[in-house]
């Protein structure tokens, strides 16, 4: 399933010997071969499922890997213990939200700066960035029909987004920060949790709040809607977990299990029989909705638990993120009791399930140093093979399961820390910093390349004093070269108004004969500026306070006769031959009267441009 394609660290230079920075390692996760193998060999579950040899810890069994959906009963094979990639923005901000797009091709992250960033779901490189909100993004959720995205920010504003990230609506839902948002099973409504201790149910089509769920006495921190039923769960700063009926707005029951602020509540997505909650009391609990009590107590965190996430296929796999940057994976059917600790009995196996304490579950796998600071958001890929995490350390990381035979990933710095990994030789501090710098530079280049088509068009020059009237094209840049096209100005002092090229047939005419033809009326002279032509309406009047002195230099040629009342325009700047020759992309030619005229030099060919980019060290091969 997971293949690493890397671009090599060769030290070669360009074609002309110029230095070129080698492309960094770019891991790529390809799940196509595993899906094809599963589709070719799968059988119905009542016939025994897929007939393939069991995976063993050997590299030769990589070809036998199957996607998580092929082994629903075996959650241990899906535990993401391997670090794939760390993605950073050019301008780094804490990552509050990570959400996979419904088709799984990209990962959407929302930062505290109000920006949406899209990362490629296979190569994990930067794709695009946009300013979605004016303040920090606090919540986001995709609809079940995969057509809409709603996001909420620090100011209580909710925005509707299409799949192409076209913003179609914005509503002021609350006056305080919105902490969570969730869609109804039929996508006709969604519910929000806000710091004003209220839950609001909105009609999606109209964008109006239909009802308000009031019952918490402090900030509401989390909310979720049951995947198939009319049931809402919410968690608050008052240490309470409440279940609501969205039709009547009545609180059905209150679950008392935590002793601190509830940070996250989530229904199990595939069956909907379990409810997971976590709090700042360093514990997480799993409730059975059929028994309306907690059946599992998840321990192991040394700091507050900030978020959790269910696996899309495996009911028994639950992942939590701590405020110290750790990520723990729990298997609810495997207690993993430490040595010297008495194992507890699950309520299902006890003679008195109603009064038996919840079974204590310990992590099946620990990523103690996954992030440097608190993990704010976790989300599984729709296929269940990659886990994405967003943290307060401004980094988005991707995790996946280890391939058969891989054991080095369990001794990296994310498992045992930088100091221990350096002592064991599995991580080099200097090399790690160098690789991090190269990854940051590569992300910056990807971001620069991805934003080329998103730049705003250049503003067209306008005449001063006349809003909306564009300047003549001789003063505008055409964008074909650096600096744009240069206006061709005749040299000062050598211009004679009568020295224009004559029309065909009048070039060699005697001036006396030409004057006689004018006197006889055979040639009509156009009226001067300001005069009216018979049959045409007069020109529109100029603004009363129009200042002709602000016109661009060279607007009128030298010695040009101006109508009465026109102030003299500013003289054009004098350009010497040395100054004109210093301008890039121009050449100087001798004029007919001894002056010089600046003209555009021929543009370089593609080969010359490529060689120039290689000399500058900016050219990189296609990854």
């Amino acid at each position: 399933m997971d293949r690493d394609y890397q671009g090599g660290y060769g030290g070669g230079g360009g074609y002309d010997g110029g230095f070129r920075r080698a492309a960094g390692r770019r891991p790529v996760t390809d799940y196509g071969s595993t899906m094809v193998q599963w589709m070719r060999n799968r059988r119905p579950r009542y016939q025994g499922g897929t007939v393939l040899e069991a995976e063993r810890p050997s590299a030769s069994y990589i070809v036998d890997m199957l996607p998580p959906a092929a082994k629903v009963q075996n959650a241990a094979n899906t535990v993401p213990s391997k670090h794939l990639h760390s993605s950073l923005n050019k301008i780094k901000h804490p990552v509050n939200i990570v959400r996979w797009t419904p088709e799984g091709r990209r990962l959407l992250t929302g930062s505290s700066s109000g920006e949406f960033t899209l990362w490629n779901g296979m190569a994990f490189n930067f794709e695009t960035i946009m300013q979605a909100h004016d303040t920090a993004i606090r919540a986001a959720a995709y609809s079940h029909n995969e057509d809409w995205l709603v996001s909420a920010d620090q100011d209580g504003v909710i925005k509707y987004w299409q799949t192409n990230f076209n913003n179609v609506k914005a509503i002021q839902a609350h006056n305080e920060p919105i902490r969570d948002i969730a869609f109804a099973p039929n996508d006709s409504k969604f519910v929000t949790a806000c710091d004003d201790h209220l839950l609001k149910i909105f009609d999606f089509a109209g964008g109006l709040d239909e009802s308000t769920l009031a019952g918490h006495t402090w900030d509401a921190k989390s909310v979720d809607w049951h995947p198939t039923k009319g049931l809402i769960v919410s968690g608050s700063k008052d240490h309470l977990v409440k279940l609501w009926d969205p039709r009547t707005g009545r609180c059905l029951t209150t679950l008392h299990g935590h002793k601190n602020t509830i940070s996250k509540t989530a229904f199990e997505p595939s069956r909907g029989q379990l409810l997971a909650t976590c709090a700042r009391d360093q514990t997480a609990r799993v409730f059975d909705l059929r028994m309306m009590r907690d059946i599992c107590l998840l321990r192991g965190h040394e700091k507050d638990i900030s978020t959790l996430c269910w696996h899309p296929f495996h009911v028994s796999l639950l992942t939590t993120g701590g405020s110290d940057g750790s990520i723990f994976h729990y298997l609810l059917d495997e207690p993993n009791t430490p040595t010297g600790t008495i194992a507890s009995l699950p309520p299902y196996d006890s003679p008195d399930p109603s009064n038996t304490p919840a079974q204590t579950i310990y992590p099946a796998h620990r990523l103690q140093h996954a992030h440097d600071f608190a993990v704010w958001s976790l989300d599984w890929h729709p296929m269940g093979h990659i886990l994405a995490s967003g943290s307060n350390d401004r980094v988005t990381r991707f995790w996946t399961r280890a391939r058969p035979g891989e054991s080095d990933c369990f001794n990296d710095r994310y498992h045992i820390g930088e100091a221990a990994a350096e002592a064991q030789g599995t991580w080099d501090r200097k090399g790690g910093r160098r690789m991090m710098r190269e990854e940051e530079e590569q992300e910056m280049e990807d971001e620069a390349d991805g934003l080329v088509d998103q730049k705003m068009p250049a503003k067209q020059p306008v005449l001063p004093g006349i809003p909306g009237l564009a300047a003549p094209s001789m003063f505008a840049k055409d964008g074909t070269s650096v600096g744009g096209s240069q206006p061709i100005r005749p040299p000062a002092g050598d211009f004679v108004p009568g020295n224009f090229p004559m029309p065909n047939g009048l070039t060699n005419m005697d001036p006396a004969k030409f004057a006689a033809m004018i006197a006889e009326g055979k040639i009509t002279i156009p009226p001067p500026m300001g005069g009216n032509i018979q049959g045409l309406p007069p020109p529109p009047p100029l603004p009363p306070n129009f200042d002709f002195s602000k016109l661009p230099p060279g607007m009128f040629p030298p010695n040009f006769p101006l109508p009465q009342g026109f102030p003299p325009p500013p003289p054009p700047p004098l350009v010497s031959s040395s100054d004109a020759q210093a301008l890039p992309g121009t050449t100087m030619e001798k004029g007919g009267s001894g002056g010089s005229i600046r003209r555009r030099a021929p543009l370089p060919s593609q080969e010359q441009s490529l060689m120039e980019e290689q000399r500058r060290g900016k050219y990189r091969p296609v990854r």
Side-chain angles (χ1 to χ4, degrees):
M1 171 176 286
D2 309 316
R3 301 178 179 179
D4 292 340
Y5 300 105
Q6 41 187 332
Y9 282 99
Y15 292 101
D16 293 343
F19 176 76
R20 175 174 60 86
R21 183 176 66 84
R25 178 177 180 270
R26 174 68 70 182
V28 176
T29 300
D30 181 17
Y31 51 82
S33 60
T34 61
M35 290 296 298
V36 171
Q37 174 144 329
W38 180 44
M39 295 174 65
R40 292 179 59 184
N41 298 284
R42 65 179 178 177
R43 294 190 306 178
R45 293 181 183 176
Y46 69 88
Q47 294 183 0
T50 305
V51 181
L52 288 175
E53 187 176 356
E55 297 176 7
R56 299 182 182 180
S58 175
S60 60
Y61 286 86
I62 295 179
V63 296
D64 296 328
M65 292 183 67
L66 296 177
K71 298 182 178 180
V72 180
Q73 291 80 14
N74 193 354
N77 286 349
T78 313
V79 173
S81 58
K82 177 183 176 181
H83 171 258
L84 278 179
H85 187 72
S86 297
S87 298
L88 303 92
N89 287 85
K90 180 179 180 181
I91 302 177
K92 306 176 184 64
H93 297 281
V95 181
N96 297 333
I97 294 296
V98 292
R99 291 290 181 269
W100 286 96
T101 55
E103 78 282 355
R105 294 183 179 180
R106 296 170 181 85
L107 178 74
L108 174 70
T109 62
S111 66
S112 61
S113 62
E115 295 174 335
F116 275 161
T117 306
L118 279 178
W119 305 94
N120 188 280
M122 295 184 66
F124 317 117
N125 58 294
F126 170 87
E127 287 202 355
T128 186
I129 188 172
M130 61 177 294
Q131 188 69 39
H133 288 264
D134 297 332
T135 55
I137 301 174
R138 294 299 180 186
Y142 274 97
S143 61
H144 296 87
N145 60 12
E146 304 178 357
D147 291 338
W148 296 95
L149 169 73
V150 293
S151 59
D153 62 11
Q154 183 80 11
D155 290 343
V157 177
I158 294 178
K159 291 188 177 183
Y160 292 17
W161 306 88
Q162 293 176 327
T163 53
N164 60 354
F165 292 95
N166 178 32
N167 180 219
V168 297
K169 182 181 289 189
I171 58 176
Q172 184 70 44
H174 297 266
N175 295 324
E176 295 191 25
I178 298 176
R179 296 298 177 176
D180 207 353
I181 192 168
F183 267 99
N186 58 0
D187 294 331
S188 62
K189 297 174 176 56
F190 62 89
V191 61
T192 61
C194 181
D195 279 353
D196 57 5
H197 70 79
L198 297 177
L199 307 176
K200 287 187 178 182
I201 299 177
F202 288 83
D203 177 67
F204 177 74
L208 302 175
D209 57 320
E210 293 185 343
S211 60
T212 300
L213 310 181
H216 287 291
T217 59
W218 218 343
D219 303 351
K221 295 297 185 182
S222 179
V223 70
D224 194 18
W225 205 309
H226 195 277
T228 58
K229 303 181 185 300
L231 185 63
I232 294 176
V233 62
S234 63
S236 172
K237 200 174 180 179
D238 57 8
H239 313 174
L240 300 179
V241 176
K242 291 182 178 291
L243 295 173
W244 306 83
D245 182 2
R247 300 176 182 86
T248 63
R250 183 172 61 93
C251 178
L252 300 177
T253 186
T254 301
L255 304 177
H256 302 268
H258 293 283
K259 300 178 181 179
N260 210 322
T261 301
I262 309 296
S263 54
K264 186 67 176 178
T265 58
F267 288 108
E268 198 278 318
S270 60
R271 299 181 184 177
Q273 298 175 354
L274 302 178
L275 167 66
T277 63
C278 64
R280 295 181 180 176
D281 56 4
Q282 305 176 12
T283 64
R285 292 179 180 269
V286 178
F287 294 84
D288 192 334
L289 299 178
R290 297 167 296 181
M291 303 171 61
M292 205 56 67
R293 57 149 299 177
D294 52 343
I295 58 173
C296 295
L297 174 62
L298 310 184
R299 294 187 179 274
H301 279 276
E302 299 176 358
K303 298 292 183 179
D304 303 344
I305 302 179
S306 53
T307 186
L308 56 81
C309 182
W310 288 97
H311 192 272
F313 301 126
H314 299 298
V315 182
S316 60
L317 180 55
L318 184 65
T319 303
T320 60
S323 60
D324 57 351
S326 61
I327 296 178
F328 288 176
H329 306 286
Y330 294 88
L331 296 176
L332 303 185
D333 51 2
E334 297 182 10
N336 296 296
T337 305
T339 304
T341 304
I342 301 176
S344 58
L345 186 67
Y348 299 120
D349 299 336
S350 65
D352 188 8
S354 301
N355 299 322
T356 302
Q359 184 184 18
T360 303
I361 305 294
Y362 292 90
H365 186 79
R366 302 170 186 254
L367 286 167
Q368 194 68 49
H369 305 276
H371 287 273
D372 296 334
F373 298 102
V375 179
W376 292 132
S377 182
L378 297 169
D379 196 30
W380 281 96
H381 190 278
M383 290 190 58
H385 67 295
I386 296 179
L387 175 69
S389 60
S391 170
N392 200 46
D393 60 2
R394 305 171 295 180
V395 180
T396 302
R397 288 199 166 103
F398 299 86
W399 313 86
T400 189
R401 58 178 178 173
R403 295 180 294 184
E406 286 185 343
S407 58
D408 295 341
C409 62
F410 299 100
N411 294 321
D412 59 6
R413 65 188 185 99
Y414 303 105
H415 287 79
I416 61 178
E418 295 183 357
E422 188 176 11
Q424 292 188 10
T426 57
W427 187 70
D428 181 19
R429 187 177 298 271
K430 294 182 180 179
R433 291 177 179 175
R434 177 180 59 84
M435 184 177 296
M436 183 174 296
R437 286 197 304 269
E438 291 181 355
E439 289 181 356
E440 292 182 2
E441 293 175 2
Q442 195 168 14
E443 298 294 352
M444 292 173 62
E445 293 179 3
D446 291 342
E447 184 168 348
D449 295 341
L451 295 180
V452 169
D453 297 333
Q454 301 183 22
K455 292 182 179 179
M456 296 294 294
K459 293 183 178 180
Q460 298 295 331
V462 296
L463 289 176
I466 308 180
L469 183 60
S473 58
M474 63 180 298
F475 300 102
K477 298 181 180 180
D478 59 1
T480 56
S481 62
V482 178
S485 59
Q486 301 292 336
I488 301 175
R489 298 194 182 104
D494 298 334
F495 183 82
V496 180
N499 288 348
F500 285 111
M502 301 293 289
N504 294 334
L506 302 179
T507 305
N508 300 322
M509 181 177 292
D510 186 10
K513 184 179 179 181
F514 182 70
M517 295 177 64
I518 294 177
E520 295 175 0
K522 296 181 179 181
I523 298 179
T524 304
I525 300 178
M529 288 186 67
N532 297 335
I533 301 178
Q534 185 176 2
L536 295 179
L542 294 176
N545 299 326
F546 183 75
D547 187 2
F548 289 92
S549 63
K550 294 183 179 180
L551 292 174
M555 183 72 180
F556 302 102
N559 303 326
F560 187 81
L562 297 176
Q564 185 178 2
F566 272 55
L574 299 179
V575 181
S576 63
S577 301
S578 59
D579 295 339
Q581 189 64 34
L583 295 176
T586 58
T587 57
M588 302 302 298
E589 298 180 2
K590 291 293 183 178
S593 58
S596 59
I597 300 176
R598 184 171 73 249
R599 299 188 182 277
R600 181 194 299 275
L603 296 176
S605 63
Q606 288 186 347
E607 182 178 0
Q608 294 174 347
S609 301
L610 177 61
M611 295 173 62
E612 181 64 25
E613 292 297 322
Q614 291 173 352
R615 292 191 189 99
R616 298 177 181 176
K618 295 182 179 180
Y619 175 76
R620 294 186 294 110
V622 179
R623 290 190 296 273

